[in-house]
Amino acid sequence: MAMLWLIYEGILQESASIYGFDINLRIIFIIFTLILGATIWWSGIGASRLTSIFLLIKIVLFVLAFSGLFFVVKTDLLLKLPTGDTQTSLLPFVFIIIPYAITSFGYHGNVCSLYKLYHENERKVVKSCVIGCILALVLYFLWVLGTMGNLPRTEFLTIINKGGNLDAFIESLYAVLNSKHIATFLLWFSISAVFCSFLGVAIGLFDYILASLNFQDNSSGRMKSALLCFLPPLILCMLFPNGFLVAIAYAGMAACIWAIICPAVMALKARERFPESTFKVWGGKGLIYAVIVFGVVGIICQLLAQFNLLPIYR
């Protein structure tokens, strides 16, 4: 949640630079929280419908922005290794990506909400997760193709030195392409993407808090859940405005625990406790243990990175 606020701050700063207006980030954050938070508090179904609208807008803007990028993709940037005495191989950097990549497919926290939304129909929940994962994979592939095929690797060092926020990324992309139209489409695509991510993450976290703390599903109970869901990340974002890379890394470590290892362990326990259950994920125990190992690898990678034991592109 805090990570999404940090992304949103970068987008607002880039909006101010493109359109030439001054903004008070704290006021915008409060308004943003009140509007979208009130939507989730009012109705989970209503929030999911609003998420679908933002998703449609995001796809349209994605096509408008990246259709221009695809025409100017430089294959040398995609296929050739960086030159120089150091960092000539990209393979060592794969391990540091794992915690970040886990958050990119973090639909796990929405399973509880999907189960509730689909009236406990497990098959629909699984279908929704699979389709969502494939759609995200396709979009990320196109995103990498459009960005990595246009930005020289040295530009990413500039982005990192500026804090790694989205505004620095859009600024670098605009400087290379010198196209204000693409920059504008990317900006509004980023805004709609943050709205989708905010609603998706918040709906799952909201329902999780509501259920785990045994709050009543009424106005009072939902208000308690909303306060616990939205206030802490909002405060953290205001205290640490440039902590995007740090936040997303720790989010990946947390996701390894609660979104990968814990569900896998729960699946093992459920199979022991309910051996006659009609719903079981394919792959047997081997797949479950493989998922646990992957989660552990993600945690190890993040811990090694914290102690500068993994190569980082900088």
Side-chain angles (χ1 to χ4, degrees):
M1 290 290 292
M3 178 182 66
L4 294 174
W5 260 280
L6 293 171
I7 300 174
Y8 191 57
E9 178 181 0
I11 293 172
L12 289 174
Q13 291 173 343
E14 184 63 19
S15 301
S17 64
I18 289 179
Y19 295 108
F21 58 82
D22 295 325
I23 56 175
N24 188 319
L25 288 176
R26 286 180 171 80
I27 294 177
I28 295 296
F29 282 146
I30 293 173
I31 295 173
F32 176 72
T33 305
L34 287 175
I35 293 176
L36 295 184
T39 303
I40 296 172
W41 168 81
W42 181 261
S43 170
I45 296 177
S48 66
R49 297 293 181 266
L50 183 61
T51 305
S52 299
I53 294 174
F54 281 124
L55 177 61
L56 178 61
I57 295 173
K58 181 175 73 171
I59 292 175
V60 172
L61 290 171
F62 182 87
V63 173
L64 291 174
F66 280 80
S67 59
L69 291 177
F70 293 144
F71 288 120
V72 291
V73 165
K74 301 176 180 63
T75 55
D76 288 347
L77 292 177
L78 292 172
L79 302 178
K80 289 187 178 180
L81 295 176
T83 58
D85 296 332
T86 61
Q87 303 184 42
T88 56
S89 174
L90 298 179
L91 182 60
F93 305 116
V94 170
F95 300 101
I96 192 61
I97 293 174
I98 293 177
Y100 298 90
I102 289 172
T103 61
S104 301
F105 292 87
Y107 56 82
H108 316 72
N110 293 84
V111 171
C112 180
S113 299
L114 291 171
Y115 193 69
K116 180 180 178 181
L117 181 65
Y118 289 125
H119 306 291
E120 303 182 5
N121 189 320
E122 298 94 343
R123 302 296 174 183
K124 287 187 177 181
V125 173
V126 172
K127 183 179 179 180
S128 175
C129 289
V130 171
I131 293 175
C133 186
I134 293 174
L135 178 61
L137 181 62
V138 171
L139 290 177
Y140 278 123
F141 174 78
L142 295 175
W143 171 272
V144 170
L145 182 65
T147 56
M148 302 289 286
N150 285 281
L151 281 178
R153 298 298 171 262
T154 54
E155 284 295 323
F156 287 98
L157 298 178
T158 303
I159 296 171
I160 294 170
N161 292 331
K162 290 182 178 179
N165 289 333
L166 193 58
D167 58 322
F169 171 78
I170 295 177
E171 182 181 338
S172 294
L173 194 61
Y174 173 64
V176 172
L177 299 180
N178 196 24
S179 173
K180 193 168 185 178
H181 295 295
I182 291 179
T184 302
F185 286 141
L186 276 175
L187 173 66
W188 287 101
F189 163 76
S190 303
I191 292 174
S192 60
V194 169
F195 282 174
C196 284
S197 298
F198 179 91
L199 287 169
V201 172
I203 291 171
L205 181 59
F206 179 90
D207 285 333
Y208 175 78
I209 294 174
L210 192 71
S212 61
L213 297 181
N214 295 318
F215 291 149
Q216 294 293 322
D217 196 1
N218 53 27
S219 298
S220 175
R222 294 178 71 85
M223 178 58 70
K224 295 176 184 177
S225 180
L227 291 174
L228 291 175
C229 181
F230 299 120
L231 278 183
L234 177 59
I235 294 172
L236 287 174
C237 182
M238 290 184 173
L239 293 176
F240 306 101
N242 291 314
F244 169 63
L245 289 180
V246 177
I248 194 173
Y250 282 111
M253 186 185 296
C256 287
I257 297 173
W258 67 267
I260 296 181
I261 296 176
C262 285
V265 174
M266 290 168 64
L268 289 174
K269 295 297 182 181
R271 292 188 179 191
E272 293 177 2
R273 188 171 179 181
F274 308 103
E276 302 301 325
S277 175
T278 57
F279 178 81
K280 285 186 179 180
V281 178
W282 62 271
K285 290 186 177 181
L287 178 63
I288 296 178
Y289 287 127
V291 170
I292 294 175
V293 170
F294 177 70
V296 173
V297 169
I299 294 174
I300 293 174
C301 287
Q302 181 55 41
L303 290 175
L304 291 175
Q306 290 299 114
F307 293 100
N308 294 319
L309 297 176
L310 277 183
I312 300 175
Y313 191 80
R314 57 189 174 188

